Each structure stands twice: as structure tokens, then as C-alpha cells.
């Protein structure tokens, strides 16, 4: 099986992706882009490191995993798809309906794969509830509704670089 070549944008939140790909048989990190790299921090590990996204998306890779600041996902996803790359957007892909339309139209125009990889369904609480339901501990399912409200207001300066 050929490995999918992944570029990681944002090595802080995206650090786990690098760890996963080091152990995976089907994927490898070939490039990482983050605007905070200093020359002395770049390891000699066979991965190419960038600080400029426009240069990064020229690298030979199949997909870009976006783990950058929340308010930046749509513009960078659009740039990546227009460069011929598939995109995995970790969280909060859009901030406005206009961005949502722009992102959808770009995906349709380019034909690239776009994945919104919300991770809440894999956290301990939802996984435990699924396990209990499948084990018959919660009775018979009759009706359900769900939504996920995540108040980011207290951490917004951290996840948006103060913007």
C-alpha cells in the first residue's frame, strides 16, 4: 500500500498528527508549516519545514492537515484545494456564511476532497455513552436529538492569535 503524503499546517495543535503518521502504515508527514519555527528548532528528521504557507503547498504531497488558528481554516483550505491538494480541517472551518459558501464552491470547482474532522465524537464521554448503549445498558432507543455547543469565548484570544 502506498502511503498518503501529508503536509501539516500548525505543529502545536497538530503535533498528534505527526505522532500518528510516524506509526501509521498508510500515511507519512512529508512537510510541516508553522510561522514560529526558528532555525535551531528544526530537527533533521527527513521532513521539510516551512514558515510560508504559499511555499509549503508547492511541496510534493497529497493532502494538507490544517491545525492552525481557528479563524484561518477557510482561507488556507481554499488555497490548498486551489493548489490541487486534498484538505483535512481540524476544527471551526468557517467564521461566516460567506466563508462557508466560498469553501463549498472551491471544493466543487476543484473537485478536491475536503474533510471536516471534528473530534468530539472520539472523546471519552461520547465513546463511553456509545459503549453503554451498544452493551444494552441504556434501554431501547426511541428518539434522540443532539447538538454540540462549545463556548470558546474564554479561550478565543489563544485560538485566534488575538484576532
Amino acid at each position: 500500500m502506498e502511503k498518503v503524503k501529508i503536509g501539516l499546517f500548525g505543529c502545536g495543535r497538530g503535533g498528534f498528527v505527526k505522532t500518528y503518521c510516524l506509526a501509521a502504515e498508510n500515511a507519512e508527514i512529508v512537510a510541516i508549516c508553522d510561522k514560529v519555527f526558528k532555525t535551531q528548532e528544526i530537527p533533521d528528521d527527513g521532513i521539510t519545514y516551512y514558515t510560508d504557507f504559499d511555499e509549503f503547498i508547492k511541496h510534493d504531497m497529497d493532502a494538507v492537515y490544517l491545525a492552525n488558528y481557528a479563524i484561518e481554516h477557510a482561507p488556507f483550505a481554499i488555497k490548498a484545494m486551489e493548489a490541487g491538494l486534498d484538505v483535512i480541517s481540524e476544527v471551526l472551518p468557517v467564521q461566516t456564511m460567506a466563508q462557508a459558501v466560498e469553501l463549498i464552491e472551491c471544493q466543487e470547482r476543484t473537485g478536491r476532497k475536503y474533510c471536516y474532522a471534528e473530534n468530539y465524537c472520539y472523546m471519552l464521554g461520547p465513546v463511553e455513552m456509545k459503549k453503554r448503549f451498544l452493551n444494552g445498558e441504556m434501554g431501547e432507543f426511541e428518539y434522540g436529538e443532539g447538538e454540540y455547543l462549545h463556548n470558546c469565548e474564554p479561550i478565543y484570544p489563544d485560538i485566534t492569535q488575538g484576532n
Side-chain angles (χ1 to χ4, degrees):
M1 171 175 35
E2 219 175 289
K3 288 189 175 194
V4 176
K5 296 181 282 186
I6 297 175
L8 173 60
F9 182 50
C11 64
R13 288 183 59 103
F16 76 94
V17 175
K18 180 180 177 186
T19 302
Y20 169 80
C21 287
L22 289 172
E25 295 179 16
N26 61 349
E28 66 178 320
I29 297 289
V30 295
I32 296 177
C33 182
D34 200 303
K35 55 186 158 192
V36 297
F37 285 129
K38 295 178 180 82
T39 307
Q40 67 271 21
E41 294 176 347
I42 298 175
D44 184 17
D45 57 5
I47 297 171
T48 305
Y49 289 82
Y50 296 89
T51 55
D52 182 281
F53 188 80
D54 292 330
E55 290 301 312
F56 166 70
I57 58 175
K58 293 176 186 174
H59 194 92
D60 179 25
M61 58 187 158
D62 304 309
V64 172
Y65 187 98
L66 297 176
N68 54 315
Y69 287 108
I71 60 167
E72 300 174 336
H73 280 239
F76 286 105
I78 289 167
K79 276 187 169 188
M81 286 189 286
E82 287 176 343
L85 299 165
D86 295 329
V87 175
I88 302 166
S89 188
E90 185 192 34
V91 293
L92 305 170
V94 298
Q95 299 295 303
T96 66
M97 287 302 289
Q99 280 186 337
V101 169
E102 201 176 349
L103 183 62
I104 291 167
E105 288 178 347
C106 178
Q107 188 281 321
E108 290 173 346
R109 182 178 67 256
T110 63
R112 302 311 311 173
K113 294 179 181 83
Y114 176 83
C115 175
Y116 172 45
E118 175 55 60
N119 56 14
Y120 188 77
C121 56
Y122 301 105
M123 292 181 175
L124 186 58
V127 169
E128 181 65 21
M129 292 303 290
K130 180 180 178 182
K131 183 178 96 178
R132 288 181 181 202
F133 175 75
L134 293 175
N135 286 338
E137 298 174 37
M138 300 180 73
E140 191 173 317
F141 183 78
E142 292 182 24
Y143 174 82
E145 285 188 34
E147 62 183 81
Y148 172 57
L149 299 174
H150 186 154
N151 179 12
C152 291
E153 187 175 349
I155 61 168
Y156 215 68
D158 296 328
I159 64 173
T160 63
Q161 198 175 15
N163 295 325

